[in-house]
Amino acid sequence: MKKKVLGIIIGVLVAMPMFVNAAEVEKVDTVEKLRQALGNGKSVELTSNITLEDADSNAGGRSTGVAIKGSGDITIDGNGYTIDASKVRTTLEIYSNGEAVNVTLTDIKVNNGYAAGRAIDTRTGDIELTLDGATLTTTGSGNTQVLTIGDSYEGTMNINVLNSTISDGISGYGIIAFNKVNLTIDNSKVSGYGAIYLKPATSSKGTADSTVTIKNKSEISTNNVHSAATNAFGTIIFEDKNLTVNIENSTIKAVSTGEQPQYVFMFKEKENNKVTVSGNSNVIVDTKDELIAGEGAVTIKSGVTSNVEIPAECFEKEGEETTTGAYEIIDPETGNTQYIVASKDEVKETPIIEYSEIIAKEDRVKLLEELEKVQKQLADTVKELEAIENPSDEEKESLKMLQEIEKAYTELGKVLNTKEIVSFNEIIYGSVLNDNLIVDSEQTELQKAVKVTLDLPENLEKVKDGYTRKYSVIRFHINQDNSIDFKELEAIEKEGKVTFETDKFSTYILTYKDTLATKNPNTFDGISLYIMMATISLIGLVSLKIYTKKAKKY
């Protein structure tokens, strides 16, 4: 019996806090009820949209729609509804009654349409503000402030923006802080003319020693639409000292659609301000010169991508040596290029098969026809260039190159019918990072040969009984002096792959020759060529165009 009574007592005690909290939450559907509850430090639940037409008498004469005053925990549950104000400067202001107050806004929209208006303003005292599933906007003219961390508080205000959106107009600020703040932006979006503005000590205490953490797929963005020379601005603006900003797994963006530049990081104060960008973050800016304005320490770590080349001063270092670098890569799915910061240890130099196409056996006739057309076009163009009196240097260079190509085609014509072509391949010697091709480290010639491996098609015709098959690759390489290197390289087949060695990189044709086992195969037989015909044809057409353009001057 005692155990049963004790269980009932414990159950009641556990349930009491829940009952008390539920009683403190007031359902509100009018301006008066909202002001009365929040003015007395009570939590509220909206049951309708609320529009504020005048100032709250509890705001001490300030142009404020609702003054939130109290201590402890205060929650405003919006239930998806909106608190709107366009006739007062600030929609919601938060005050502390001498003790710590923790205000949380959930599932709510707060808007202000007043000129230079503010959606939420934290005034003074020990205030912690959490936005969770909130949408804050300002739509008025002038330098509006969506979320203002204000007044002259000596301590640190804690502001948490979770799963929320803070959006400003074309001339205002998403988040502007006048006091020291510990600001966390988690899975949220903040935008404006300036997204995060950290102010110095003027009429306030200033933001010195503040910390800003941006994480978990957040997006911080700005768009500068202005043209006046004084309107160059930034996404994150530093105007005080000892400021620390950490950006992890998020996007930060600065775009200008006006005539003035927009910087990602704008340092108006240079004393000990630091930014670290890490994880799968993305930096988007119009040009690389607009990544940083002023003097500040920006470190962009391995894994971060950008649409522009990252400056060398942003790389991590060990002593005087940089340990990371920015590499232009090709997205294997989209073919688009971008820059990625990576540890130098992650970058591997290797032969890269940039393009490969299997050539069907039945295309041999088409290849012969294409070769004949291109050879005739080359011959005609060479004759025209040779007939020019006093040719220019450009025409001489074109003639020399076309003569080299003509020689290569002659070799092709001699051996075209003696081998079977497997594939056409464009191979470069570059670098890869996480299976991405690095563009800017491409080389065409090496001092020492390296091994290259090509896959054989699964449906390749089998070797007939009594025959042996020998693979080779034909290298078609334009040397630095524009001469043509046309050479056959031995290839070794093993387990559905062929391997060969080369020290030059451009066009390779994989071929084979089947011979009776009692006969020795020739050491240099012909090839058929399909895609290469188009490539060389293009070279001929370009040179012909150059010649034709020049010829008009005579």
Side-chain angles (χ1 to χ4, degrees):
M1 185 66 178
K2 288 182 179 180
K3 288 184 179 181
K4 184 175 181 180
V5 172
L6 183 61
I8 294 172
I9 293 173
I10 293 173
V12 171
L13 290 173
V14 170
M16 280 181 65
M18 296 177 63
F19 174 76
V20 171
N21 286 339
E24 290 182 349
V25 177
E26 294 191 13
K27 295 183 183 295
V28 298
D29 58 359
T30 66
V31 175
E32 291 72 19
K33 290 179 181 179
L34 181 66
R35 286 173 175 170
Q36 183 176 8
L38 292 178
N40 291 318
K42 294 182 179 180
S43 295
V44 299
E45 179 183 338
L46 270 61
T47 59
S48 68
N49 295 324
I50 294 178
T51 300
L52 307 170
E53 299 285 352
D54 56 7
D56 188 346
S57 60
N58 200 28
R62 293 174 60 82
S63 179
T64 299
V66 176
I68 304 171
K69 295 184 176 182
S71 60
D73 297 331
I74 300 173
T75 298
I76 304 175
D77 183 355
N79 270 333
Y81 292 110
T82 300
I83 301 176
D84 189 26
S86 59
K87 296 182 179 181
V88 291
R89 186 185 182 194
T90 305
T91 305
L92 302 177
E93 277 189 344
I94 303 172
Y95 297 81
S96 169
N97 284 343
E99 298 180 12
V101 58
N102 303 315
V103 178
T104 301
L105 283 79
T106 64
D107 192 21
I108 191 171
K109 299 179 180 69
V110 180
N111 179 60
N112 187 281
Y114 197 78
R118 305 175 180 184
I120 296 179
D121 189 348
T122 61
R123 293 306 302 164
T124 187
D126 187 356
I127 297 172
E128 179 168 342
L129 171 64
T130 298
L131 305 175
D132 192 352
T135 299
L136 275 56
T137 55
T138 53
T139 55
S141 60
N143 295 130
T144 53
Q145 303 173 16
V146 186
L147 174 57
T148 304
I149 305 164
D151 212 31
S152 297
Y153 178 54
E154 292 284 355
T156 302
M157 290 188 180
N158 294 298
I159 309 296
N160 306 296
V161 183
L162 315 175
N163 313 307
S164 296
T165 299
I166 296 176
S167 178
D168 196 74
I170 63 173
S171 299
Y173 318 116
I175 300 174
I176 184 168
F178 294 88
N179 291 325
K180 182 180 177 183
V181 62
N182 182 12
L183 171 62
T184 299
I185 301 171
D186 186 344
N187 190 35
S188 297
K189 295 181 178 181
V190 181
S191 62
Y193 169 48
I196 301 173
Y197 196 178
L198 304 170
K199 297 287 286 182
T202 51
S203 58
S204 64
K205 296 297 182 180
T207 54
D209 302 308
S210 292
T211 299
V212 178
T213 301
I214 302 166
K215 62 182 182 178
N216 193 22
K217 298 182 179 180
S218 291
E219 182 176 316
I220 314 299
S221 62
T222 54
N223 179 18
N224 189 339
V225 302
H226 304 289
S227 299
T230 57
N231 283 333
F233 212 51
T235 300
I236 302 180
I237 306 97
F238 301 76
E239 287 191 353
D240 214 331
K241 60 186 178 180
N242 301 326
L243 302 173
T244 301
V245 175
N246 296 308
I247 303 169
E248 181 179 1
N249 298 326
S250 296
T251 297
I252 184 162
K253 182 178 181 180
V255 175
S256 174
T257 55
E259 296 178 6
Q260 293 303 309
Q262 187 77 352
Y263 299 93
V264 177
F265 307 111
M266 191 173 200
F267 295 96
K268 294 187 174 183
E269 167 62 51
K270 63 182 180 180
E271 185 177 344
N272 198 32
N273 289 326
K274 301 176 182 178
V275 177
T276 302
V277 187
S278 63
N280 295 321
S281 293
N282 189 20
V283 180
I284 301 172
V285 63
D286 288 332
T287 71
K288 67 178 181 180
D289 294 333
E290 293 169 1
L291 180 63
I292 302 169
E295 298 180 33
V298 177
T299 301
I300 300 181
K301 294 192 172 185
S302 179
V304 176
T305 56
S306 178
N307 65 315
V308 299
E309 186 174 1
I310 305 297
E313 59 264 28
C314 296
F315 301 151
E316 290 186 275
K317 292 185 177 181
E318 287 185 3
E320 296 298 321
E321 297 293 326
T322 58
T323 58
T324 57
Y327 302 92
E328 187 180 3
I329 63 172
I330 297 175
D331 188 319
E333 294 183 1
T334 65
N336 296 330
T337 60
Q338 63 179 345
Y339 290 87
I340 185 168
V341 176
S343 167
K344 292 182 178 180
D345 294 336
E346 296 177 283
V347 179
K348 307 298 181 184
E349 289 192 338
T350 181
I352 301 166
I353 302 171
E354 192 175 31
Y355 178 82
S356 181
E357 181 169 337
I358 307 301
I359 305 301
K361 188 174 181 179
E362 56 268 21
D363 286 332
R364 180 179 296 278
V365 174
K366 294 180 182 179
L367 295 170
L368 286 166
E369 292 174 352
E370 182 67 21
L371 176 62
E372 185 177 347
K373 291 178 183 178
V374 176
Q375 281 181 311
K376 185 179 184 306
Q377 186 178 33
L378 279 171
D380 292 342
T381 306
V382 167
K383 286 179 180 179
E384 290 185 40
L385 288 171
E386 288 175 335
I388 295 175
E389 295 182 6
N390 301 319
S392 65
D393 291 342
E394 187 176 8
E395 287 166 339
K396 290 177 182 179
E397 191 65 28
S398 295
L399 176 60
K400 180 181 177 181
M401 185 172 184
L402 288 178
Q403 286 172 335
E404 288 289 330
I405 295 173
E406 193 174 27
K407 291 178 184 178
Y409 269 66
T410 300
E411 294 297 325
L412 285 173
K414 290 179 181 179
V415 298
L416 187 60
N417 291 302
T418 61
K419 283 196 174 184
E420 298 292 344
I421 186 169
V422 178
S423 62
F424 168 88
N425 306 276
E426 287 290 341
I427 304 175
I428 66 171
Y429 188 79
S431 301
V432 291
L433 171 66
N434 301 330
D435 297 326
N436 286 304
L437 168 65
I438 296 176
V439 178
D440 59 354
S441 64
E442 178 182 325
Q443 300 182 61
T444 59
E445 297 183 7
L446 302 178
Q447 293 183 347
K448 185 178 180 181
V450 295
K451 290 184 177 180
V452 179
T453 299
L454 298 174
D455 291 325
L456 291 174
E458 294 182 359
N459 60 349
L460 187 64
E461 185 178 350
K462 303 297 184 183
V463 183
K464 296 178 181 179
D465 291 341
Y467 283 78
T468 59
R469 176 169 294 177
K470 183 178 180 181
Y471 289 93
S472 63
V473 291
I474 306 302
R475 182 175 70 196
F476 190 93
H477 179 76
I478 301 176
N479 295 317
Q480 293 180 357
D481 61 358
N482 287 332
S483 61
I484 304 298
D485 181 353
F486 187 73
K487 187 176 182 180
E488 182 180 28
L489 304 173
E490 183 181 1
I492 307 300
E493 186 273 333
K494 184 178 180 180
E495 297 179 351
K497 299 178 183 292
V498 292
T499 301
F500 63 97
E501 292 189 352
T502 185
D503 59 356
K504 296 181 179 181
F505 295 88
S506 53
T507 302
Y508 288 81
I509 315 301
L510 175 59
T511 69
Y512 69 86
K513 174 72 174 180
D514 290 343
T515 58
L516 288 170
T518 56
K519 295 183 178 181
N520 293 324
N522 294 328
T523 58
F524 188 78
D525 294 315
I527 65 169
S528 57
L529 182 58
Y530 184 54
I531 304 299
M532 185 174 170
M533 297 300 103
T535 304
I536 304 306
S537 176
L538 179 60
I539 294 172
L541 289 172
V542 170
S543 299
L544 180 59
K545 186 176 181 181
I546 293 172
Y547 156 69
T548 303
K549 184 178 179 181
K550 290 287 183 178
K552 289 180 179 179
K553 297 182 179 179
Y554 296 93

